[in-house]
Structure formats: structure tokens, C-alpha cells
Amino acid sequence: PAHLPQKDRDQMWPEDLDMVTYVGLRVECLRDIDIFTIAFFVFFQSRLAVAVDRKAVLWKGGIKAVRIDDIGGVVESLVELTKDGRAVDVIVRGSNGSKRQCQSFLTYIDDVLMQT
């Protein structure tokens, strides 16, 4: 993780007026004393990058991954470990009419997260 660059959400997730469908989830620790370790998140980043055939950009505490379907539709995800380490936020976005693809990618990322 020390070799990953520092980036912020605005830099990696710029506004895109063509992306109008958004879905997301938050996986949060139940107890105040629990956290996701950076080692856990780095392992998750690696697994997700491999799962999307390396169509991903990694930075410290985050990953942006892209999925292209059979007809060329693109959906992209932003997954970030919160600064306090207590939650992982997942957001998926796509163009108009891509709700099914966005939901499918969100479920896929959740599965990778839960298997990590």
C-alpha cells in the first residue's frame, strides 16, 4: 500500500453527465472498536482488479473498476475504504438504461468483497 499513489474522489470520479444511473452500498463494522485493516483492503483491491481483467485503477484506500458488457455498454465502480477504516463504500454508475448492468456489477463487487 505504501507504493500506491494518494488520490481523491474528485480526481478519480469526475462528474460525467452521460452517467445517470447510480447504485451503491456501504459495508460497515458493527462495533465501534472494529475496523477494516489496510491489508484487508489491499487484498480486496487485488482480487477485484484481477476479477475485472485489470480494467482498474488503484490508489491508497480506493479502486475504480470498469465493466464492459457484450454490447459495449460501460459501467464503472468506485470502491473506497473510509478514512476511519470502519466502512467500505461501493458506488456503481452507468448510462441511461443501465440499471440492470449497474446492479449486476454492484452484486459482483459485493461478492468479491465478502469472499475477501
Side-chain angles (χ1 to χ4, degrees):
H3 299 293
L4 291 174
Q6 289 277 35
K7 298 190 180 192
D8 65 16
R9 178 181 282 205
D10 294 337
Q11 184 180 10
M12 296 309 301
W13 193 257
E15 182 178 352
D16 185 337
L17 298 178
D18 293 329
M19 298 292 200
V20 295
T21 302
Y22 286 78
V23 295
L25 64 86
R26 172 175 269 205
V27 178
E28 190 168 21
C29 297
L30 292 176
R31 298 181 309 173
D32 289 343
I33 61 170
D34 294 333
I35 63 167
F36 290 102
T37 66
I38 193 68
F40 163 82
F41 194 76
V42 169
F43 186 58
F44 163 73
Q45 285 175 305
S46 300
R47 288 186 60 152
L48 183 58
V50 169
V52 297
D53 296 325
R54 308 228 187 276
K55 294 181 194 86
V57 178
L58 287 72
W59 65 95
K60 190 173 184 178
I63 180 171
K64 178 180 175 181
V66 175
R67 177 187 262 184
I68 303 170
D69 64 23
D70 295 337
I71 57 172
V74 176
V75 293
E76 55 187 30
S77 67
L78 177 73
V79 184
E80 293 182 301
L81 179 65
T82 59
K83 292 194 186 314
D84 64 4
R86 298 202 63 249
V88 175
D89 290 327
V90 183
I91 307 167
V92 177
R93 69 182 179 183
S95 60
N96 192 25
S98 65
K99 185 174 183 178
R100 184 180 57 79
Q101 293 92 335
C102 288
Q103 190 62 49
S104 173
F105 197 27
L106 180 68
T107 300
Y108 184 78
I109 293 168
D110 187 37
D111 290 345
V112 173
L113 185 60
M114 293 304 139
Q115 293 171 11
T116 301

